[in-house]
Amino acid sequence: DGHGWTLLGERVVNGHGKLDKDAIEVGKREGRFKKVAIVVEDSDLEMTDFTVKFGAGQPWHPGLSHFFKEGQRSRVIDFPGDERIIKRIEFAYRNLPGGGKAKVAVWAQ
């Protein structure tokens, strides 16, 4: 249920089982957020790194390394401190062998 959440962006993993890196550019126009969640669709996926770069300060690594099943979402990941402007979200991931191309969606609130 996306009620109250904002879709920041989606990416399709093209790595064919190899590590793929990608990013979603966000910015001030989307607003300020306190938390994010990741939803994986269309195939299974291994996420090896997830980094949030805020409008100010150091990049933040919430320690998300996870095997996602198709249709699964991450836990809700709370940001440190108050609401923040997200500048960019970066991730490293790969499709799991035998699967298709996973789609990763990042939602924020």
Side-chain angles (χ1 to χ4, degrees), residues 61-90:
H61 297 269
L64 179 69
S65 179
H66 189 73
F67 287 93
F68 288 89
K69 293 288 189 185
E70 185 274 328
Q72 187 179 19
R73 74 170 181 85
S74 71
R75 68 188 193 281
V76 173
I77 303 166
D78 292 319
F79 294 153
D82 294 328
E83 290 184 336
R84 315 230 2 221
I85 292 172
I86 301 169
K87 185 176 179 181
R88 180 180 171 96
I89 296 171
E90 299 175 348

Short mmCIF file of all heavy atoms in Angstrom, two decimals, residues 61-90:
data_model
loop_
_atom_site.label_atom_id
_atom_site.label_comp_id
_atom_site.label_asym_id
_atom_site.label_seq_id
_atom_site.Cartn_x
_atom_site.Cartn_y
_atom_site.Cartn_z
N HIS A 61 25.20 4.80 5.10
CA HIS A 61 25.06 3.38 4.74
C HIS A 61 24.26 2.68 5.84
O HIS A 61 24.80 2.44 6.92
CB HIS A 61 26.44 2.72 4.63
CG HIS A 61 27.30 3.28 3.57
ND1 HIS A 61 27.32 2.79 2.29
CD2 HIS A 61 28.17 4.31 3.59
CE1 HIS A 61 28.19 3.49 1.57
NE2 HIS A 61 28.70 4.42 2.34
N PRO A 62 22.99 2.35 5.58
CA PRO A 62 22.20 1.71 6.63
C PRO A 62 22.52 0.23 6.85
O PRO A 62 21.87 -0.44 7.65
CB PRO A 62 20.76 1.89 6.13
CG PRO A 62 20.88 1.99 4.66
CD PRO A 62 22.21 2.67 4.40
N GLY A 63 23.51 -0.29 6.16
CA GLY A 63 23.88 -1.69 6.36
C GLY A 63 22.90 -2.66 5.73
O GLY A 63 22.64 -3.72 6.28
N LEU A 64 22.37 -2.32 4.58
CA LEU A 64 21.42 -3.19 3.90
C LEU A 64 22.15 -4.06 2.89
O LEU A 64 22.66 -3.59 1.89
CB LEU A 64 20.35 -2.35 3.18
CG LEU A 64 19.31 -3.16 2.42
CD1 LEU A 64 18.42 -3.91 3.39
CD2 LEU A 64 18.46 -2.25 1.56
N SER A 65 22.25 -5.33 3.19
CA SER A 65 22.77 -6.34 2.29
C SER A 65 21.78 -7.49 2.41
O SER A 65 21.63 -8.06 3.51
CB SER A 65 24.17 -6.75 2.71
OG SER A 65 24.66 -7.75 1.85
N HIS A 66 21.08 -7.83 1.31
CA HIS A 66 19.94 -8.72 1.46
C HIS A 66 19.63 -9.45 0.15
O HIS A 66 19.81 -8.90 -0.93
CB HIS A 66 18.72 -7.88 1.88
CG HIS A 66 17.53 -8.68 2.27
ND1 HIS A 66 17.46 -9.38 3.45
CD2 HIS A 66 16.36 -8.90 1.63
CE1 HIS A 66 16.28 -9.99 3.52
NE2 HIS A 66 15.61 -9.71 2.43
N PHE A 67 19.15 -10.68 0.27
CA PHE A 67 18.58 -11.42 -0.86
C PHE A 67 17.08 -11.17 -0.84
O PHE A 67 16.41 -11.52 0.13
CB PHE A 67 18.86 -12.92 -0.75
CG PHE A 67 20.28 -13.30 -1.02
CD1 PHE A 67 21.19 -13.40 0.01
CD2 PHE A 67 20.71 -13.53 -2.32
CE1 PHE A 67 22.50 -13.75 -0.22
CE2 PHE A 67 22.02 -13.88 -2.57
CZ PHE A 67 22.92 -13.99 -1.52
N PHE A 68 16.57 -10.55 -1.89
CA PHE A 68 15.14 -10.27 -2.00
C PHE A 68 14.48 -11.30 -2.91
O PHE A 68 15.00 -11.60 -3.98
CB PHE A 68 14.90 -8.90 -2.64
CG PHE A 68 15.23 -7.73 -1.76
CD1 PHE A 68 16.51 -7.19 -1.75
CD2 PHE A 68 14.26 -7.15 -0.97
CE1 PHE A 68 16.81 -6.10 -0.96
CE2 PHE A 68 14.55 -6.06 -0.17
CZ PHE A 68 15.83 -5.53 -0.16
N LYS A 69 13.35 -11.81 -2.49
CA LYS A 69 12.50 -12.62 -3.36
C LYS A 69 11.63 -11.67 -4.17
O LYS A 69 11.32 -10.56 -3.72
CB LYS A 69 11.61 -13.56 -2.55
CG LYS A 69 12.37 -14.63 -1.82
CD LYS A 69 12.88 -15.64 -2.79
CE LYS A 69 13.46 -16.84 -2.07
NZ LYS A 69 14.06 -17.76 -3.02
N GLU A 70 11.22 -12.08 -5.35
CA GLU A 70 10.35 -11.26 -6.19
C GLU A 70 9.10 -10.91 -5.38
O GLU A 70 8.51 -11.75 -4.72
CB GLU A 70 9.97 -12.04 -7.45
CG GLU A 70 9.18 -11.26 -8.45
CD GLU A 70 7.68 -11.28 -8.19
OE1 GLU A 70 7.18 -12.28 -7.68
OE2 GLU A 70 7.04 -10.27 -8.49
N GLY A 71 8.73 -9.62 -5.39
CA GLY A 71 7.56 -9.15 -4.66
C GLY A 71 7.83 -8.78 -3.21
O GLY A 71 6.93 -8.34 -2.51
N GLN A 72 9.06 -8.93 -2.76
CA GLN A 72 9.39 -8.64 -1.37
C GLN A 72 9.82 -7.18 -1.21
O GLN A 72 10.32 -6.57 -2.14
CB GLN A 72 10.53 -9.55 -0.93
CG GLN A 72 10.87 -9.47 0.54
CD GLN A 72 12.00 -10.44 0.90
OE1 GLN A 72 12.75 -10.91 0.05
NE2 GLN A 72 12.11 -10.73 2.18
N ARG A 73 9.64 -6.65 0.00
CA ARG A 73 10.13 -5.31 0.29
C ARG A 73 11.04 -5.36 1.50
O ARG A 73 10.97 -6.29 2.30
CB ARG A 73 8.99 -4.32 0.50
CG ARG A 73 8.27 -4.44 1.81
CD ARG A 73 7.33 -3.25 1.99
NE ARG A 73 6.62 -3.29 3.24
CZ ARG A 73 7.10 -2.84 4.39
NH1 ARG A 73 8.29 -2.33 4.48
NH2 ARG A 73 6.38 -2.91 5.49
N SER A 74 11.87 -4.33 1.61
CA SER A 74 12.76 -4.24 2.76
C SER A 74 11.98 -3.81 3.99
O SER A 74 10.83 -3.38 3.89
CB SER A 74 13.88 -3.22 2.49
OG SER A 74 13.34 -1.90 2.48
N ARG A 75 12.63 -3.86 5.11
CA ARG A 75 12.07 -3.24 6.30
C ARG A 75 12.03 -1.73 6.05
O ARG A 75 12.72 -1.24 5.15
CB ARG A 75 12.92 -3.54 7.53
CG ARG A 75 14.29 -2.87 7.49
CD ARG A 75 15.21 -3.34 8.61
NE ARG A 75 16.38 -2.50 8.75
CZ ARG A 75 17.47 -2.55 8.01
NH1 ARG A 75 17.53 -3.39 6.98
NH2 ARG A 75 18.49 -1.76 8.26
N VAL A 76 11.28 -1.00 6.82
CA VAL A 76 11.31 0.46 6.74
C VAL A 76 12.62 0.91 7.38
O VAL A 76 12.94 0.52 8.50
CB VAL A 76 10.08 1.08 7.45
CG1 VAL A 76 10.20 2.59 7.49
CG2 VAL A 76 8.80 0.67 6.73
N ILE A 77 13.38 1.71 6.66
CA ILE A 77 14.70 2.16 7.10
C ILE A 77 14.60 3.61 7.52
O ILE A 77 14.39 4.49 6.69
CB ILE A 77 15.73 1.98 5.97
CG1 ILE A 77 15.76 0.53 5.51
CG2 ILE A 77 17.10 2.46 6.42
CD1 ILE A 77 16.47 0.31 4.19
N ASP A 78 14.71 3.85 8.82
CA ASP A 78 14.63 5.22 9.36
C ASP A 78 15.96 5.93 9.19
O ASP A 78 17.02 5.37 9.46
CB ASP A 78 14.27 5.19 10.85
CG ASP A 78 12.87 4.70 11.10
OD1 ASP A 78 11.96 5.09 10.34
OD2 ASP A 78 12.66 3.92 12.05
N PHE A 79 15.90 7.20 8.78
CA PHE A 79 17.11 8.02 8.66
C PHE A 79 17.57 8.48 10.03
O PHE A 79 16.75 8.66 10.93
CB PHE A 79 16.84 9.26 7.80
CG PHE A 79 16.54 8.98 6.37
CD1 PHE A 79 15.77 9.86 5.64
CD2 PHE A 79 17.02 7.85 5.74
CE1 PHE A 79 15.49 9.62 4.31
CE2 PHE A 79 16.74 7.60 4.41
CZ PHE A 79 15.97 8.49 3.69
N PRO A 80 18.86 8.73 10.17
CA PRO A 80 19.33 9.32 11.42
C PRO A 80 18.90 10.78 11.48
O PRO A 80 18.94 11.49 10.48
CB PRO A 80 20.85 9.19 11.32
CG PRO A 80 21.14 9.10 9.85
CD PRO A 80 19.94 8.46 9.23
N GLY A 81 18.45 11.24 12.62
CA GLY A 81 18.06 12.65 12.78
C GLY A 81 16.67 12.94 12.28
O GLY A 81 15.83 12.06 12.14
N ASP A 82 16.43 14.20 11.96
CA ASP A 82 15.12 14.67 11.51
C ASP A 82 14.93 14.42 10.02
O ASP A 82 15.76 13.82 9.36
CB ASP A 82 14.99 16.17 11.80
CG ASP A 82 14.98 16.46 13.30
OD1 ASP A 82 14.48 15.61 14.06
OD2 ASP A 82 15.47 17.53 13.69
N GLU A 83 13.81 14.96 9.49
CA GLU A 83 13.55 14.86 8.05
C GLU A 83 14.72 15.43 7.27
O GLU A 83 15.33 16.43 7.68
CB GLU A 83 12.28 15.64 7.69
CG GLU A 83 11.03 15.00 8.19
CD GLU A 83 9.80 15.76 7.73
OE1 GLU A 83 9.89 16.97 7.43
OE2 GLU A 83 8.74 15.14 7.68
N ARG A 84 15.03 14.81 6.13
CA ARG A 84 16.18 15.23 5.35
C ARG A 84 15.85 15.26 3.87
O ARG A 84 15.01 14.51 3.40
CB ARG A 84 17.33 14.24 5.57
CG ARG A 84 17.47 13.90 7.02
CD ARG A 84 18.72 13.94 7.74
NE ARG A 84 19.94 14.35 7.22
CZ ARG A 84 21.08 13.72 7.50
NH1 ARG A 84 21.08 12.61 8.22
NH2 ARG A 84 22.22 14.18 7.05
N ILE A 85 16.54 16.12 3.15
CA ILE A 85 16.45 16.12 1.69
C ILE A 85 17.40 15.05 1.18
O ILE A 85 18.57 14.99 1.58
CB ILE A 85 16.84 17.51 1.12
CG1 ILE A 85 15.79 18.54 1.51
CG2 ILE A 85 17.00 17.43 -0.40
CD1 ILE A 85 16.16 19.97 1.16
N ILE A 86 16.90 14.20 0.31
CA ILE A 86 17.71 13.15 -0.30
C ILE A 86 18.24 13.68 -1.63
O ILE A 86 17.45 14.11 -2.48
CB ILE A 86 16.90 11.87 -0.53
CG1 ILE A 86 16.34 11.35 0.78
CG2 ILE A 86 17.76 10.81 -1.22
CD1 ILE A 86 15.32 10.25 0.61
N LYS A 87 19.53 13.64 -1.79
CA LYS A 87 20.16 14.10 -3.03
C LYS A 87 20.26 12.96 -4.04
O LYS A 87 19.96 13.11 -5.22
CB LYS A 87 21.54 14.64 -2.70
CG LYS A 87 22.29 15.26 -3.81
CD LYS A 87 23.60 15.82 -3.25
CE LYS A 87 24.45 16.45 -4.30
NZ LYS A 87 25.70 16.96 -3.72
N ARG A 88 20.68 11.80 -3.54
CA ARG A 88 20.95 10.67 -4.43
C ARG A 88 20.92 9.37 -3.63
O ARG A 88 21.34 9.34 -2.49
CB ARG A 88 22.32 10.87 -5.06
CG ARG A 88 22.80 9.85 -6.00
CD ARG A 88 24.21 10.29 -6.49
NE ARG A 88 24.86 9.26 -7.25
CZ ARG A 88 24.86 9.18 -8.57
NH1 ARG A 88 24.23 10.08 -9.28
NH2 ARG A 88 25.49 8.21 -9.19
N ILE A 89 20.42 8.31 -4.25
CA ILE A 89 20.45 6.98 -3.66
C ILE A 89 21.24 6.09 -4.61
O ILE A 89 20.96 6.05 -5.81
CB ILE A 89 19.02 6.43 -3.46
CG1 ILE A 89 18.27 7.31 -2.47
CG2 ILE A 89 19.07 4.98 -3.00
CD1 ILE A 89 16.81 6.98 -2.35
N GLU A 90 22.22 5.41 -4.06
CA GLU A 90 23.07 4.51 -4.86
C GLU A 90 22.93 3.10 -4.33
O GLU A 90 22.81 2.89 -3.13
CB GLU A 90 24.53 4.95 -4.77
CG GLU A 90 24.77 6.34 -5.30
CD GLU A 90 26.19 6.82 -5.09
OE1 GLU A 90 26.94 6.18 -4.32
OE2 GLU A 90 26.55 7.86 -5.68
#
